[in-house]
């Protein structure tokens, strides 16, 4: 009976992890959400093996009580932690570091990205570590992004999405630091691909934004056909998560299990 905790589970990729994992009634799935009031998609699934717990990952008290709640339900253990929650400031995606508008806004986006995407992830791992040590799988997966890849950034001359990319590059190192310390664990920094998590109609949603972003990468990904669905991304990510072993710990890999030019 494997147990999973997923942060940022009310929507997008996080929701889909809960959906696919809870489809197997042998799994126990802890869906961590910022507010139960926005967790209607999870409650609509109506599955008894889903436990919805409130936790903003920037709130240490909330993380501590979430870990206690998981612990009391599992008898003290957890098998898999999936750090999915992230701060994504999409309104200012296209701006570059030198042309961001007011300095305060740049500072805010840098700090907000770091606070959630790096510091929040570290505290989440720390609060759940005692449980993970008692689990059998001992896998910690942190969602990162191909935008954190320095080589691709340089090759594609991709200067946009800076605060987010910087925070994801930092969390890759967080992943490596834990992997270096806890040799009995698998720590993975996993990129989910380019995933359409918009709630709008896929035909009229963020396609413009996606094309602007992917245009830069076309040269490197000539076969890229557009963003994938959360369903496809999570299916591929679960294959990677299940397929990785201790020799993979500390890696920064994609949903295709390959770092080299496979972020999309
Ligand atoms: N979509 C992509 O193409 C893509 C590509 C590369 C990497 N990723 C990564 O994949 C992960 C999921 O992406 P997504 O597209 O599903 O994102 P999303 O649709 O923007 O959802 C983000 C989730 O994170 C939660 N969240 C934000 N701040 C939080 C906080 N302080 N504490 C707890 N939860 C918080 C949100 O909660 P609320 O529902 O309460 O707002 C939401 O559930 C992220 O780590 C993202 O960086 C996504």
């Amino acid at each position: 009976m494997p147990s999973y905790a997923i942060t940022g589970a009310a929507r997008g990729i996080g929701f889909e992890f809960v959906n696919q994992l809870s489809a197997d009634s042998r799994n126990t799935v802890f869906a961590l959400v910022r507010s139960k009031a926005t967790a209607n998609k999870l409650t609509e699934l109506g599955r008894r093996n889903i436990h919805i717990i409130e936790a903003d990952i920037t709130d240490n008290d909330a993380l501590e009580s979430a870990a206690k709640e998981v612990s009391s339900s599992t008898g003290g253990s957890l098998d898999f932690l999936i750090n999915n929650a992230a701060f994504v400031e999409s309104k200012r995606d296209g701006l570059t570091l030198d042309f961001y508008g007011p300095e305060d806004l740049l500072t805010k986006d840098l700090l907000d990205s770091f606070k959630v995407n790096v510091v929040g992830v570290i505290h989440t791992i720390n609060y759940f570590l005692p449980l993970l040590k008692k689990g059998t799988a001992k896998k910690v997966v942190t969602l990162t992004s191909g935008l954190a890849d320095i080589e691709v950034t340089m090759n594609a001359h991709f200067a946009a999405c800076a605060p987010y990319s910087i925070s994801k590059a930092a969390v890759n190192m967080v992943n490596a630091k834990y992997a270096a310390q806890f040799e009995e664990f698998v720590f993975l920094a996993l990129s989910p691909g380019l995933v359409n998590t918009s709630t709008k109609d896929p035909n009229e949603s963020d396609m413009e934004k996606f094309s602007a972003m992917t245009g830069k990468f076309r040269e490197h990904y000539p076969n890229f056909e557009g963003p994938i669905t959360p369903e496809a991304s999570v299916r591929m990510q679960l294959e990677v998560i299940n397929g990785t072993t201790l020799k993979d710990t500390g890696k920064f890999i994609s949903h295709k299990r390959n770092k080299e030019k496979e972020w999309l």
Side-chain angles (χ1 to χ4, degrees), residues 8-14 34 38 55-58 84-88 116 143-145 164 168 192-195 197:
R11 61 191 167 96
I13 295 169
R34 274 202 285 203
T38 60
D56 184 314
I57 65 165
T58 62
N84 165 80
F87 174 79
V88 186
V116 181
L143 280 266
T144 181
S145 168
Y164 174 77
K168 290 295 187 181
L194 186 61
V195 188
T197 48

Side-chain angles (χ1 to χ4, degrees), residues 98-173:
D98 68 318
F99 195 73
Y100 210 84
E103 276 173 23
D104 286 357
L105 206 55
L106 173 59
T107 304
K108 181 184 182 312
D109 285 354
L110 284 165
L111 295 181
D112 284 348
S113 302
F114 204 79
K115 189 174 178 185
V116 181
N117 303 353
V118 184
V119 183
V121 168
I122 293 171
H123 288 303
T124 307
I125 294 172
N126 286 346
Y127 278 110
F128 283 97
L129 256 180
L131 284 71
L132 289 156
K133 285 179 182 167
K134 291 184 188 155
T136 47
K138 294 187 172 53
K139 289 194 180 184
V140 177
V141 179
T142 299
L143 280 266
T144 181
S145 168
L147 296 179
D149 184 337
I150 291 174
E151 204 180 316
V152 168
T153 302
M154 294 299 292
N155 289 344
H157 299 280
F158 195 75
C161 302
Y164 174 77
S165 308
I166 293 166
S167 70
K168 290 295 187 181
V171 88
N172 289 348
M173 181 55 82

Side-chain angles (χ1 to χ4, degrees), residues 2-5 78-82 132 137-140 241-242:
S3 53
Y4 296 80
L78 177 68
D79 292 311
F80 296 84
L81 170 64
I82 302 179
L132 289 156
K138 294 187 172 53
K139 289 194 180 184
V140 177
I241 294 168
N242 292 330

